[in-house]
Amino acid sequence: MALAKLSNVLISDSLDPCCREILQAGGLQVLEKPNLSKEELLTQVKDCDVLIVRSATKVTTDIIHAAERLQVIGRAGTGVDNVDVEAATRKGILVMNTPAGNSLSAAELTCGMIMSLARQIPQAAASMKGGKWDRKKFMGMELQGKILGILGLGRIGREVATRMQSFGMKTIGYDPIILPEESATFGVQQLPLEQIWPLCDFITVHTPLLPSTTGLLNDSTFAKCRRGVQVVNCARGGIVDEGALLRALQSGQCAGAALDVFTQEPPRDRDLVNHPNVICCPHLGASTREAQRRCGKEIALQIVDLSKGKALAGTVNGQALSSAFAPQTKPWITLAKALGLLLHTMVKQVNGSIQVSTLGEPLQNAGNYLTPAVVTGLLAGAEQKDVNLVNGLLLAQEAGLKVALLGSPCRAVGSVQGSTPVLQELNGATFKQLVPLAGTLLIYRAKASNPSTLSAVIELLGKAGVQLQSYQSSSAMGGEEWSIVGLSSALQNLSELKQHVTEAFQLTV
């Protein structure tokens, strides 16, 4: 496996007790330390294999660099905005979340916000508590027949859609990933953003905070909206430009807004919070007992399964690693790593380019995990520290290796026999019998059908006290053949053999 044994878990935010109980039942040692200062977290994180957070803990680059043993960061929730995923990936640390854990709670809060905007429920309640009885001031609107624009049609967006359709709302939306045919199955007509702005009575956002979604609603887009549009953001602070929203509210272009999230939390600038047409909550999207228990349970089960090598779910940056847990793909990943190691041992460098090809329908879509596995083997052969399926492609790119459909001076072809990775061909020479890629192997190229070469190898092994465990040779190519010898241990020196062969090297798989 790409990950070492997991044993110590640090929980640095308040989570449902079931999280700790499941982890401990799975054989993991758990330390709960919520509300740590950054300095305290820097100290505590040094000794943990797994760090579990909710929203309060900010897993920054310096936290990740201080975590000497850290292998997994688990986020008990949907987004990972509080985790520096790039820094974690570079270090080979797996980042996981629970994408479905709080979907229902966030969707229900969004629906509550839409209804509160339509009927001004919070304002009317505050008025009553102030001793007033002002029925005329709080004239609302029905939701029946109104158009709701949903930006982001993932789990939460579609839950909002189906619930608000029951109020008779027409739901339109936009998502660059979800196909229009798929969104049509849950009643959302997809349109380009430019067509959405002028149609909507209400707009709700359900996207991650990315460079492409930051300020999605801004001065320009508000100007294109129907006058009196109402906006809901229960996703991430920053998707709605807060300055632009305040200006739209002041001008009447936006009639009301409901915000559960802010660019800065808690918000220091109170102008938006204090606006009479704004409903605010202190980031309560996942704050239900059910969501907290679900998120705590899901992240704990994911980590226990990972520690036992059973499965990997909720991965943010380790899609290739996910495939390493499937019984049918494990041997192929082992093969790909071994071939990568073999190629590096032959060419002694990692810059240049490499072509990864597959043959056969079962491997038609296997490039997403076989390519990182080959690269991992290449970099491991170069003694690259902490290389695994999480960071292999990133480190290869930084090392100057281009993974593309280009020719290469070396070629290795392998397969899987049963569950054993085997070598079939090396630089065009086919082996007469499949060569198991396991253990310590001595590989050399020499003149074909020359028995003195094998005699020299056996003599060298005898002097070194190393046992010959297997021997395979290839077909002849240009008057030479490859031989692969399985050894009980690696030879300390190949200089005596070099005079008998064209090239020779060892590798341990």
Side-chain angles (χ1 to χ4, degrees):
M1 281 306 304
L3 299 177
K5 179 177 173 59
L6 304 178
S7 56
N8 296 325
V9 180
L10 172 63
I11 301 176
S12 63
D13 286 333
S14 296
L15 291 177
D16 190 276
C18 74
C19 181
R20 180 192 68 252
E21 295 164 3
I22 292 170
L23 292 167
Q24 290 175 335
L28 297 166
Q29 298 179 13
V30 181
L31 177 64
E32 283 189 285
K33 289 273 188 176
N35 305 316
L36 291 172
S37 67
K38 184 174 181 179
E39 291 70 27
E40 290 171 329
L41 181 59
L42 284 167
T43 300
Q44 293 288 343
V45 80
K46 290 180 180 179
D47 298 322
C48 70
D49 304 303
V50 180
L51 173 63
I52 299 179
V53 302
R54 189 185 164 204
S55 297
T57 299
K58 308 303 178 187
V59 190
T60 56
T61 302
D62 46 353
I63 297 294
I64 290 168
H65 287 166
E68 299 170 0
R69 293 174 45 183
L70 190 63
Q71 299 180 67
V72 181
I73 299 169
R75 159 78 164 99
T78 301
V80 287
D81 299 348
N82 57 321
V83 178
D84 191 329
V85 177
E86 182 179 349
T89 301
R90 186 177 303 279
K91 201 173 177 183
I93 297 171
L94 179 68
V95 180
M96 309 167 72
N97 67 352
T98 56
N102 58 14
S103 298
L104 289 177
S105 292
E108 289 180 359
L109 178 63
T110 301
C111 297
M113 292 289 211
I114 294 171
M115 288 184 279
S116 294
L117 284 173
R119 301 304 298 268
Q120 303 182 66
I121 297 170
Q123 294 93 327
S127 176
M128 285 285 291
K129 290 179 184 295
K132 299 178 182 178
W133 182 266
D134 197 342
R135 298 179 64 192
K136 293 182 179 179
K137 182 178 180 180
F138 301 110
M139 182 64 65
M141 69 171 73
E142 291 183 351
L143 295 178
Q144 172 72 35
K146 301 300 187 295
I147 297 177
L148 172 63
I150 305 173
L151 309 184
L153 299 171
R155 293 179 180 86
I156 298 173
R158 67 185 64 191
E159 294 290 351
V160 170
T162 56
R163 282 157 176 74
M164 298 318 296
Q165 287 159 15
S166 67
F167 284 84
M169 297 192 83
K170 179 182 178 182
T171 50
I172 61 177
Y174 172 79
D175 192 301
I177 297 174
I178 305 297
L179 294 173
E181 295 80 9
E182 182 180 352
S183 64
T185 63
F186 51 87
V188 177
Q189 178 189 5
Q190 283 210 54
L191 296 171
L193 286 173
E194 293 302 308
Q195 293 182 29
I196 287 177
W197 304 127
L199 293 177
C200 297
D201 299 292
F202 293 81
I203 295 174
T204 179
V205 295
H206 299 285
T207 71
L209 183 63
L210 303 168
S212 60
T213 62
T214 299
L216 186 60
L217 272 77
N218 52 49
D219 286 313
S220 174
T221 52
F222 273 119
K224 298 172 184 176
C225 289
R226 176 181 294 181
R227 185 168 180 82
V229 67
Q230 306 208 53
V231 173
V232 179
N233 185 5
C234 293
R236 287 290 179 268
I239 299 172
V240 178
D241 184 313
E242 292 172 2
L245 174 59
L246 182 59
R247 289 186 288 273
L249 287 161
Q250 291 169 340
S251 70
Q253 180 68 10
C254 177
L259 306 173
D260 185 46
V261 291
F262 298 86
T263 304
Q264 185 181 53
E265 296 183 353
R268 291 182 183 175
D269 187 345
R270 307 295 294 183
D271 289 345
L272 193 59
V273 174
N274 294 334
H275 194 283
N277 293 340
V278 172
I279 302 167
C280 296
C281 293
H283 204 150
L284 300 179
S287 295
T288 64
R289 286 184 292 273
E290 294 84 355
Q292 289 309 297
R293 181 169 181 81
R294 196 181 298 121
C295 287
K297 179 180 179 181
E298 286 183 12
I299 197 66
L301 289 173
Q302 287 171 200
I303 289 169
V304 169
D305 284 347
L306 175 64
S307 70
K308 295 177 182 283
K310 289 183 178 179
L312 177 58
T315 177
V316 174
N317 65 341
Q319 286 74 18
L321 188 60
S322 301
S323 301
F325 285 84
Q328 67 272 22
T329 59
K330 276 184 180 180
W332 293 102
I333 289 177
T334 304
L335 168 67
K337 287 182 180 178
L339 292 177
L341 180 60
L342 173 60
L343 288 174
H344 177 269
T345 308
M346 293 173 67
V347 300
K348 303 290 191 300
Q349 62 181 19
V350 294
N351 61 327
S353 61
I354 180 173
Q355 176 186 2
V356 180
S357 302
T358 61
L359 181 64
E361 188 174 344
L363 297 179
Q364 188 173 4
N365 299 313
N368 66 327
Y369 60 86
L370 292 182
T371 300
V374 171
V375 167
T376 299
L378 275 166
L379 294 177
E383 298 183 352
Q384 172 75 48
K385 291 184 178 180
D386 301 322
V387 60
N388 58 28
L389 291 174
V390 175
N391 61 5
L393 286 176
L394 175 63
L395 296 179
Q397 183 180 6
E398 292 178 350
L401 178 68
K402 296 181 180 178
V403 182
L405 296 176
L406 299 171
S408 173
C410 295
R411 171 183 167 90
V413 179
S415 185
V416 170
Q417 190 174 50
S419 60
T420 303
V422 293
L423 181 66
Q424 297 173 305
E425 180 186 317
L426 195 57
N427 280 359
T430 303
F431 284 90
K432 300 164 187 175
Q433 293 184 329
L434 298 178
V435 183
L437 289 172
T440 300
L441 302 174
L442 169 64
I443 303 175
Y444 63 87
R445 179 164 58 94
K447 188 177 296 185
S449 304
N450 184 0
S452 64
T453 306
L454 183 56
S455 299
V457 171
I458 293 172
E459 182 179 349
L460 178 61
L461 295 179
K463 289 180 182 178
V466 175
Q467 296 179 358
L468 187 153
Q469 296 182 329
S470 63
Y471 174 82
Q472 281 94 7
S473 63
S474 73
S475 59
M477 287 281 294
E480 293 186 320
E481 65 182 8
W482 287 95
S483 295
I484 300 184
V485 183
L487 306 179
S488 59
S489 61
L491 291 165
Q492 296 299 313
N493 196 322
L494 297 181
S495 57
E496 290 187 34
L497 184 60
K498 294 291 177 70
Q499 59 184 311
H500 301 282
V501 301
T502 305
E503 63 177 308
F505 50 87
Q506 297 179 96
L507 74 154
T508 300
V509 181

